[in-house]
Amino acid sequence: ISDILLPGGSGIELLKFVHSRDIKSPFIFISGQSGKQEILIALKLGAFDFIEKPFGIDQLTLVINRAAEMIKIKNELLSAQKRCQDAEKFASIALVTMKVIHEVSTPLTVMQALSNSILKDLEKSKSKSPLKTKSKKLSEALQHIIKIILNRKSLTRIGKPQEIETI
């Protein structure tokens, strides 16, 4: 809150200084001697309001309360904008994750099917080949990886949090 006419300067210059420092507080002018031109300049430069002297405490309280409400609304707007930006970032991350999961899970599923096929062929041959054991371990490892990927895939969906299987 400042008078437009100040000793050794002007409230307009003070307002310009405050804005040059990027201070976001509402600026309220009071004056009993200012002309309409100064008031218009002050409002064009971003002053919140102007109160003409003499004024009562009720009038001053009303303007201050309006300024406080404006600050509250601006802060709520900034908070909502931040939440929207965060939600957009999360959605982008989820989309990329889904694409990666799809790109990885399809070849893994094919690899598991081939591994299972090899394992079945080896079991039919009734041989004691070490390939049988290795093929079984490969199939189990692929199944484990696919299970992990499916768990991660469920995390990218919006809804209830899912349990994460650890390796």
Side-chain angles (χ1 to χ4, degrees):
I1 298 175
S2 173
D3 201 319
I4 286 187
L5 301 174
L6 298 172
S10 78
I12 301 287
E13 292 304 315
L14 178 60
L15 176 62
K16 288 178 182 177
F17 175 78
V18 165
H19 283 307
S20 74
R21 300 284 188 216
D22 203 28
I23 299 171
K24 304 290 185 198
S25 297
F27 207 94
I28 301 167
F29 277 112
I30 58 174
S31 185
Q33 301 174 4
S34 298
K36 292 189 191 262
Q37 188 65 27
E38 287 91 2
I39 296 168
L40 286 175
I41 290 169
L43 293 173
K44 283 181 182 178
L45 289 173
F48 177 75
D49 207 343
F50 172 82
I51 303 172
E52 192 169 353
K53 291 180 188 175
F55 55 86
I57 191 73
D58 289 342
Q59 185 181 8
L60 181 61
T61 302
L62 178 69
V63 172
I64 291 171
N65 286 340
R66 279 190 12 245
E69 184 65 22
M70 183 195 70
I71 291 169
K72 179 182 172 194
I73 290 169
K74 279 185 175 182
N75 287 339
E76 288 171 357
L77 177 62
L78 289 172
S79 177
Q81 287 172 334
K82 173 83 171 90
R83 286 191 309 272
C84 285
Q85 289 170 348
D86 291 346
E88 287 173 1
K89 287 177 187 175
F90 177 75
S92 295
I93 290 168
L95 183 61
V96 168
T97 302
M98 289 296 292
K99 287 180 180 180
V100 169
I101 287 171
H102 176 73
E103 293 297 320
V104 170
S105 65
T106 302
L108 282 173
T109 304
V110 170
M111 289 169 63
Q112 185 189 23
L114 291 172
S115 174
N116 287 341
S117 176
I118 292 168
L119 184 60
K120 283 180 186 176
D121 289 346
L122 287 170
E123 285 175 354
K124 285 180 189 174
S125 72
K126 307 254 186 212
S127 76
K128 302 266 185 200
S129 168
L131 288 177
K132 194 176 192 179
T133 306
K134 290 177 183 178
S135 181
K136 189 172 185 174
K137 286 182 181 179
L138 175 63
S139 182
E140 289 170 357
L142 288 169
Q143 181 60 37
H144 184 71
I145 292 169
I146 290 169
K147 204 185 243 186
I148 291 169
I149 289 172
L150 291 176
N151 281 341
R152 299 307 185 267
K153 192 173 185 178
S154 68
L155 289 175
T156 60
R157 294 190 187 106
I158 296 174
K160 290 192 289 184
Q162 302 289 323
E163 291 279 330
I164 299 175
E165 180 182 330
T166 57
I167 300 175

